[in-house]
Amino acid sequence: MSRKVVALLVAVFIAGAALRGPGASAAEEGLQPVGKLPLPKKAELILGTHEVFYVDEPARRMYLKYPAYDGMTDFRGDPILSFRVAEYDLTSTTPSIRRDVHLFSSEQMNPINSLSPYSVAVERKRNRLLMLNSNCNPCPEGDAPSPARVEIVDLATMTPIGGYDLLRQVPGVQLYGMTYSPEDDRLYFVGETNPIPGGGVQDNNPSGAIPATGTVAVALEAATGEVAWVRPVPECQIPLATKNVGALIARSTRASQLYFACIRPFVYPGESGIVRMTIAPDAGRTDALNFPVEYFPISGTYTKSLIDGISAFDYRTDRFFMQSLSTTTPGSWVFDGRLSAWAGFVGAPDSSNEWLGFDQTNGRYYMGGNPAGEPGYILSVDGRAIPVPQGRVAEVSPVGGFIHVDAPTRRLFFKVAGHDDIVIYRDTSRIAPAPEPLDYDVLTADIPEGPHTLTTFAGSVNGFGARMIFVGGTGGIVNNDICAQVGGFSEGNVCDDIRGALKQVFNVSPSTGDRDLLVAWVPSADIRNVGVASASQALTFDQTTDGEYHAIVKSMADRLRGEEDAGSSEDGSVGDQAADELEARLQWPHRPVLCLDSGERSEPDPAAGPGGSAKASCDLSKAEAESSAEFGFVSMEGVSIGRATFETRMVKDPRAGVLTETTSIVRGIELSSPGGSVVIKRVAARAVTAARGRTGTAKVSWERFVEGVVVKDAAGAVVFECAAGKECDQQVAVAAINDVLKTRIRVFLPDAELVATPKGAFASVQEAAGNALNDSVVNNDTSAAAPALEIVVYNDTSDKSRLVFQLAAIQASSIYGITGLPDDLPLDGGDGALPTVVVQPGITLPGEIRYVTVPAQSAGGSRLAQAAVFFIRSPKDAFLLGLMILIFVGAVAAASRRSALMSQIGQGG
């Protein structure tokens, strides 16, 4: 065997090993069974109620509680159950019992009630185990508050050392979940106030600040058990409490913030979602009333017969996993606190996905289920990826409890549903590395342009004055769990009746998908080496709706043509004529305006229709494109818009490079809800991008304007106002608007992401990554245009159903690459001349010089480069194409030099 073949085989072997990575082979990856957890002998007396409730990874301990008879009897002589805890040593492959102790009598703590990571915490500062003790958790509606305490156990001696009386400290409140914060040395709780006869608050409530009903967050001093503060949270309808084992409340380790989940009942109003409360570590009662509260709504169903939803929190990344049991969309919504955005949805195999676990070391998220009559499953996924992937499903024993994770050994412990075993699995899956960000500056060598350089450029803009997205479409109305529980208008259910009504009204069965209405839309304006293109339209629908509209019109016309009495002539020409007139009358009145110039100027006629107009122009000789559109008025679901406009111009300038200037304005915005009304005179955005392929030439700016805001409450009194024609404090204005509109309608100020690369190859404006990710996950929106303002009308149930208004949205980019060529490989046609363009005087970049008119020169340039750049359709495409060009040029240059070298060797020989 030759050396070359051996070397090739070795290289292939090494490459294969590198792809597999260390550890298990591909066939061995996933969840591997390890064995069963040995149970305490006393647990044989009463089985079925034992459970692991806490894994203490730093101390390498795990705790299991179980009820047992310890020989005690009541006054009748009947055996009394006791509450016992077994402490396991996690250092061995199969954990062994280290201690097995009696902690409480059944009168002190009900041994049948569940404990979980939601109701237990370890306070390492004082080496104590804290346990939330409540005889009903949550209490049935109408029950009086049960005695509630925090029991304290000394971990050194494993003995109770007292506790905190929550009923005395926080009267009238039922607390479901607890966490300890070492940063604050405080205990944080989430719960609900309990109604009392006659309403009002408890007479012995010292602060009088707790409402009769509603969600509350509570802070206690860990050292003394004294109440630090109580904060009502009206944004949260019902805390998400799980299977009588409590509710997750998490204190971020990255910021002074609390997170917990909330759900809505089956009937409107209200929205499920996540609360994020920004706290102060040393705050008191009065301070807490002013804590900022953010609410992030989401769809999904989190109830079955009881409150069954479940949650997890990643303390390293502030990701919150909110697991839905919807029959139509079971799975887990993932919220990223760093981005303040929903980062993904992990679909479950079915709606038996009642349990979960999380690995705080590597971010692995586990979703467990127990399908009726089938094996159980655990879906494991990289919970820290962006976007969150769908993961891998493994067949395991039916999951009947929390999936407890020992991160150092990647072992999973969970109880088998309908059985007494607690099984152990090990996860051998690999975690994929995070992708490297794109470096656009590899497109340019940062050298002067000349006869031995190759220049590629592109400018692109898209956006709209306003956009209405009906998220969920008719599917959000007719595809949800409520249909199975609510009677319809007839013997069928509500959703069947709605489907039938829609078909009758539209004469077709409409798609259940999302719908769009675009106002003052510019889908694309584009300049490149080989062509200039532009398009605009005053008003248009999404493709699905547009197709259905034309289908309805055609159906109506065909009906006229088919009617026997449509006309007096024997051939039915009158009927045909009526059908033709109908189609002409119902033709969509706002046609698109398009132009494409690959060598000659193109300026199509403007389009005008009722309420709006559009125009576009293209000129390759000047490397210039313009596009604009306008339309008004639009009104829907308590939101109306007076008029929207969008204008953009781009040009290849000899000094600024590729320059784009875009402005979008929306006027006369009105919002109304039961809580009040809002008028906004003007919302606008302006964006400028420029790139020249040299260091320091990439420039970008984006500005948002919100003017003339008047906010009135339900009684018509003005609660906030900034004068017309004056720029408002945007954050203050939006806070006032949301305070009046409540949760029915919410207004947001999305962020824009501005990029200007150091070597001048790329500049762009687009929606910030967090906002774009959130819109993609929650609103099925793939547009990258950055809106100046976003308004959301919420109607979510088990499925998405919301109306999103995006105003003054812009995406723009400038790309410019300069690449050196070998001296003996000219690709510019001989003279090296590059096209320059005429630029109108007065074009200004923010804080930069003005650019003046320069006479145009002949457009030579590389045919090869022009042909290649024609296919660039996005910054990413440009980047990849640039790499391809560099590889091609490098290969040609290497071949040329090798040829010259061989020639010299031959001559020397």
Side-chain angles (χ1 to χ4, degrees):
M1 186 179 295
S2 69
R3 292 182 179 179
K4 290 184 179 180
V5 174
V6 172
L8 178 61
L9 291 175
V10 171
V12 170
F13 175 82
I14 294 174
L19 289 173
R20 286 194 302 271
S25 67
E28 296 171 337
E29 278 191 21
L31 299 182
Q32 306 297 326
V34 174
K36 299 178 183 178
L37 187 71
L39 299 178
K41 292 182 179 179
K42 289 184 178 293
E44 295 175 1
L45 299 175
I46 302 176
L47 295 172
T49 55
H50 59 287
E51 61 188 351
V52 173
F53 64 86
Y54 195 79
V55 174
D56 186 357
E57 293 176 0
R60 310 303 299 128
R61 297 288 182 264
M62 182 170 70
Y63 297 94
L64 175 143
K65 77 92 182 172
Y66 67 97
Y69 294 116
D70 281 344
M72 299 180 64
T73 59
D74 60 16
F75 68 94
R76 294 185 299 268
D78 296 330
I80 297 176
L81 288 175
S82 70
F83 184 101
R84 296 189 63 90
V85 168
E87 180 186 64
Y88 287 83
D89 183 354
L90 291 177
T91 58
S92 56
T93 302
T94 300
S96 57
I97 297 176
R98 185 173 178 268
R99 291 185 288 189
D100 183 357
V101 299
H102 163 89
L103 281 186
F104 306 105
S105 69
S106 58
E107 293 180 352
Q108 295 171 313
M109 192 163 182
N110 190 338
I112 303 299
N113 279 1
S114 292
L115 281 179
S116 76
Y118 298 167
S119 56
V120 175
V122 168
E123 182 195 319
R124 217 164 298 283
K125 181 178 182 178
R126 300 174 185 88
N127 198 30
R128 305 191 303 185
L129 180 67
L130 309 174
M131 310 165 75
L132 185 58
N133 179 6
S134 175
N135 285 340
C136 60
N137 192 3
C139 291
E141 185 178 355
D143 280 11
S146 64
R149 288 172 51 85
V150 173
E151 306 292 352
I152 303 175
V153 177
D154 184 286
L155 283 173
T157 61
M158 209 60 184
T159 56
I161 55 174
Y164 303 142
D165 188 344
L166 297 176
L167 185 60
R168 180 185 65 83
Q169 294 281 45
V170 197
V173 176
Q174 179 67 37
L175 300 176
Y176 302 151
M178 173 183 70
T179 190
Y180 170 71
S181 168
E183 294 86 357
D184 310 333
D185 197 23
R186 284 182 169 178
L187 294 170
Y188 295 110
F189 303 83
V190 64
E192 285 184 286
T193 54
N194 286 268
I196 60 174
V201 296
Q202 295 279 358
D203 293 337
N204 60 348
N205 178 8
S207 68
I210 306 174
T213 59
T215 301
V216 292
V218 178
L220 265 62
E221 302 290 353
T224 63
E226 295 298 317
V227 175
W229 50 259
V230 177
R231 172 64 153 86
V233 189
E235 294 85 350
C236 180
Q237 217 167 352
I238 301 173
L240 177 57
T242 306
K243 283 187 169 295
N244 287 343
V245 297
L248 170 64
I249 180 170
R251 199 283 193 188
S252 169
T253 58
R254 306 176 73 254
S256 296
Q257 294 173 329
L258 296 175
Y259 290 83
F260 54 89
C262 308
I263 62 170
R264 57 167 284 177
F266 281 116
V267 294
Y268 188 83
E271 286 295 322
S272 300
I274 289 174
V275 163
R276 179 170 66 189
M277 181 188 300
T278 301
I279 62 175
D282 56 351
R285 289 179 181 269
T286 304
D287 302 324
L289 298 177
N290 297 315
F291 285 161
V293 172
E294 300 166 276
Y295 194 72
F296 303 94
I298 197 65
S299 60
T301 295
Y302 302 90
T303 61
K304 287 185 178 176
S305 57
L306 296 172
I307 299 177
D308 282 347
I310 194 166
S311 308
F313 189 75
D314 181 1
Y315 288 90
R316 183 172 297 181
T317 65
D318 278 15
R319 284 204 167 182
F320 198 108
F321 300 81
M322 191 169 172
Q323 200 156 300
S324 170
L325 304 174
S326 168
T327 57
T328 53
T329 54
S332 185
W333 294 100
V334 185
F335 179 80
D336 193 308
R338 299 166 303 173
L339 299 174
S340 296
W342 292 95
F345 177 78
V346 182
D350 59 29
S351 60
S352 73
N353 58 316
E354 298 178 357
W355 300 104
L356 56 71
F358 191 80
D359 189 326
Q360 294 290 342
T361 298
N362 62 25
R364 204 77 182 168
Y365 172 69
Y366 302 97
M367 188 189 312
N370 175 27
E374 299 180 20
Y377 65 81
I378 288 181
L379 186 151
S380 63
V381 63
D382 181 1
R384 291 175 181 162
I386 296 180
V388 182
Q390 290 308 298
R392 174 186 297 180
V393 177
E395 185 177 299
V396 297
S397 302
V399 182
F402 275 96
I403 303 170
H404 297 273
V405 180
D406 178 35
T409 61
R410 301 188 68 183
R411 285 178 297 177
L412 278 57
F413 304 86
F414 62 87
K415 191 174 181 179
V416 178
H419 203 277
D420 297 318
D421 289 341
I422 295 175
V423 294
I424 309 171
Y425 283 79
R426 176 174 283 110
D427 189 357
T428 60
S429 305
R430 294 169 297 170
I431 303 297
E436 294 293 330
L438 294 175
D439 180 10
Y440 291 103
D441 274 339
V442 300
L443 289 174
T444 183
D446 192 19
I447 57 177
E449 293 177 89
H452 300 293
T453 61
L454 172 67
T455 299
T456 60
F457 68 86
S460 181
V461 172
N462 72 81
F464 44 83
R467 180 186 182 198
M468 278 133 283
I469 315 171
F470 185 12
V471 182
T474 57
I477 302 172
V478 301
N479 294 335
N480 59 66
D481 296 342
I482 298 178
C483 290
Q485 303 181 35
V486 181
F489 306 118
S490 60
E491 294 183 358
N493 64 42
V494 173
C495 296
D496 288 339
D497 292 332
I498 294 175
R499 291 187 186 99
L502 287 170
K503 183 174 182 179
Q504 183 176 1
V505 169
F506 292 108
N507 200 36
V508 295
S509 295
S511 165
T512 58
D514 298 349
R515 305 304 176 103
D516 283 11
L517 179 66
L518 290 148
V519 181
W521 182 41
V522 172
S524 177
D526 197 269
I527 62 171
R528 304 180 187 275
N529 297 62
V530 295
V532 175
S534 187
S536 64
Q537 193 166 4
L539 184 70
T540 187
F541 290 111
D542 61 278
Q543 291 184 352
T544 299
T545 305
D546 185 64
E548 288 179 351
Y549 175 80
H550 286 93
I552 293 169
V553 172
K554 184 177 184 303
S555 175
M556 295 169 64
D558 289 346
R559 197 179 305 169
L560 282 177
R561 292 187 178 96
E563 290 179 356
E564 295 181 359
D565 58 348
S568 58
S569 62
E570 295 182 358
D571 61 357
S573 60
V574 175
D576 291 342
Q577 182 179 353
D580 293 341
E581 290 177 356
L582 176 68
E583 287 181 318
R585 192 180 317 123
L586 296 181
Q587 184 178 6
W588 188 249
H590 299 282
R591 65 176 177 84
V593 180
L594 309 170
C595 66
L596 173 62
D597 182 5
S598 58
E600 297 181 359
R601 181 178 172 84
S602 175
E603 190 164 358
D605 294 333
S613 62
K615 61 182 180 179
S617 66
C618 305
D619 191 339
L620 179 60
S621 66
K622 296 181 180 180
E624 182 178 20
E626 293 185 359
S627 192
S628 65
E630 61 175 346
F631 185 84
F633 158 90
V634 175
S635 180
M636 196 179 302
E637 287 272 358
V639 180
S640 64
I641 296 168
R643 194 158 198 85
T645 63
F646 190 97
E647 299 178 351
T648 188
R649 175 179 178 270
M650 62 187 63
V651 66
K652 180 178 180 292
D653 178 77
R655 298 185 64 183
V658 173
L659 175 67
T660 75
E661 295 180 305
T662 308
T663 301
S664 182
I665 303 173
V666 182
R667 295 179 173 87
I669 302 138
E670 297 183 4
L671 315 175
S672 63
S673 78
S677 62
V678 178
V679 173
I680 305 174
K681 183 177 181 181
R682 180 175 179 264
V683 171
R686 175 173 169 77
V688 177
T689 67
R692 182 65 176 81
R694 302 297 305 277
T695 296
T697 61
K699 305 293 181 183
V700 61
S701 70
W702 178 81
E703 297 176 281
R704 169 173 41 213
F705 305 92
V706 180
E707 301 172 355
V709 178
V710 179
V711 182
K712 297 180 180 181
D713 62 17
V718 175
V719 296
F720 176 87
E721 183 175 9
C722 64
K726 293 185 178 180
E727 170 67 7
C728 299
D729 184 316
Q730 297 172 6
Q731 299 295 337
V732 173
V734 167
I737 291 170
N738 287 333
D739 187 55
V740 163
L741 299 178
K742 305 301 181 186
T743 57
R744 165 65 172 166
I745 304 176
R746 303 292 289 175
V747 175
F748 301 93
L749 293 169
D751 295 324
E753 180 182 274
L754 310 183
V755 176
T757 59
K759 292 184 179 180
F762 181 71
S764 74
V765 173
Q766 62 181 9
E767 190 173 19
N771 295 120
L773 184 61
N774 184 82
D775 283 347
S776 173
V777 171
V778 179
N779 299 328
N780 306 332
D781 178 19
T782 58
S783 170
L789 196 74
E790 188 167 87
I791 305 163
V792 183
V793 182
Y794 294 99
N795 295 296
D796 289 359
T797 55
S798 60
D799 284 354
K800 301 175 184 177
S801 184
R802 54 182 64 182
L803 190 61
V804 180
F805 294 78
Q806 296 175 337
L807 308 183
I810 300 172
Q811 181 184 19
S813 65
S814 298
I815 302 174
Y816 207 102
I818 307 171
T819 305
L821 298 177
D823 294 342
D824 56 351
L825 190 66
L827 296 178
D828 58 0
D831 60 1
L834 292 169
T836 55
V837 299
V838 177
V839 180
Q840 297 178 356
I843 297 177
T844 307
L845 288 174
E848 298 297 323
I849 62 174
R850 291 181 178 273
Y851 299 98
V852 297
T853 303
V854 177
Q857 299 178 4
S858 62
S862 162
R863 295 292 180 183
L864 172 64
Q866 291 177 353
V869 176
F870 180 76
F871 293 100
I872 301 175
R873 287 292 176 264
S874 70
K876 181 179 179 182
D877 293 339
F879 172 71
L880 297 175
L881 181 58
L883 289 180
M884 184 180 73
I885 291 173
L886 291 177
I887 292 171
F888 169 75
V889 172
V892 173
S896 176
R897 288 170 182 155
R898 183 175 182 277
S899 177
L901 179 61
M902 293 300 293
S903 177
Q904 291 177 3
I905 292 174
Q907 293 174 2

